Amino acid sequence: MQIDWQKTIEEILADRVSCPRCGSLTDDVVAGYTREPWGADYAPRCQFCTRKEDCDARKLVVLCQGCANELGLRVRRVDQETLMTMLLTDCRKDLEECLDYLAEYWQEDLDVPPDETDKRLEEFDPETFGEEDEARRRLEDEYLSYHRWFRERGLRMPDSAWRSEYVEEIIGLGYTTLLGD
Ligand SMILES: [Zn+2]
Ligand SMILES: [Zn+2]
């Protein structure tokens, strides 16, 4: 599934947007984090979340100031570049988690017996590997859409060294990545 993150963000930040919660038009877009499931409806990165009812991920939500006050959410006013940087940072964290999982956490997660620890995840449990791999592709795709956004506007990519480190580590583990070779 190709997700048009850029379009989503552009819509959120169009000159005057209606707050996704109360529908009122606002010039002041604010953003903050919550783990509460209600946040899934106002979180750009949860747009295609499959467990909205009980999503307990740490979500970046975008609202108007009035709604943020009502919900008791700590927020700050954001412009496009700030919001894109926050989304990019979240996306990178998720990719780092994928990396940790592939590197070693899967053995703990799947309770691998000591005599099988030299196996790779794709040998030990192809199904779990397939799911992991698909989730990572989606995140890498999302990453690339942020990258394009910064490039198209001639803006500096925050912490640009992150990408080559990630690529080195993934390739070091023997996997491929959409982010480079
Ligand atoms: Zn609102
Ligand atoms: Zn979610």
Side-chain angles (χ1 to χ4, degrees):
M1 176 175 41
Q2 183 73 34
I3 300 170
D4 196 345
W5 297 99
Q6 195 162 318
K7 186 158 162 276
T8 307
I9 309 302
E10 302 283 352
E11 278 170 9
I12 291 169
L13 289 164
D15 270 354
R16 280 175 70 80
V17 286
S18 41
C19 167
R21 180 167 178 265
C22 67
S24 73
L25 284 172
T26 176
D27 291 324
D28 284 345
V29 177
V30 298
Y33 285 96
T34 181
R35 283 191 185 275
E36 299 291 330
W38 57 254
D41 288 333
Y42 320 120
R45 296 195 65 231
C46 261
Q47 202 188 4
F48 298 92
C49 185
T50 51
R51 48 188 185 110
K52 279 195 178 178
E53 298 300 300
D54 59 353
C55 177
D56 62 354
R58 185 168 180 262
K59 295 173 282 293
L60 178 65
V61 299
V62 179
L63 295 163
C64 74
Q65 184 67 58
C67 282
N69 292 347
E70 259 178 57
L71 294 162
L73 188 70
R74 262 194 311 279
V75 289
R76 62 165 158 152
R77 215 185 140 176
V78 291
D79 58 17
Q80 288 202 352
E81 194 178 346
T82 311
L83 182 61
M84 290 307 272
T85 303
M86 290 167 99
L87 292 164
L88 172 72
T89 305
D90 276 14
C91 182
R92 282 175 173 167
K93 280 186 195 144
D94 287 349
L95 282 169
E96 283 164 14
E97 265 174 38
C98 291
L99 198 56
D100 288 344
Y101 192 85
L102 284 173
E104 54 182 12
Y105 180 63
W106 69 269
Q107 297 199 344
E108 204 180 312
D109 185 42
L110 301 176
D111 228 346
V112 177
D115 59 330
E116 295 197 75
T117 50
D118 54 352
K119 279 197 175 158
R120 297 174 66 83
L121 172 59
E122 56 271 42
E123 295 165 336
F124 184 81
D125 187 340
E127 200 181 321
T128 301
F129 175 75
E131 285 164 17
E132 274 299 307
D133 205 47
E134 202 190 306
R136 184 163 65 87
R137 297 283 148 187
R138 266 200 309 272
L139 287 166
E140 290 182 351
D141 221 31
E142 183 188 347
Y143 185 95
L144 290 174
S145 75
Y146 298 141
H147 183 90
R148 278 193 301 274
W149 190 90
F150 281 90
R151 277 284 174 276
E152 278 164 12
R153 282 155 188 79
L155 297 169
R156 256 184 94 89
M157 192 75 180
D159 187 15
S160 56
W162 181 92
R163 182 171 175 164
S164 53
E165 262 176 57
Y166 170 82
V167 169
E168 282 310 312
E169 289 194 44
I170 281 286
I171 290 175
L173 291 172
Y175 301 105
T176 57
T177 166
L178 300 176
L179 300 193
D181 59 13

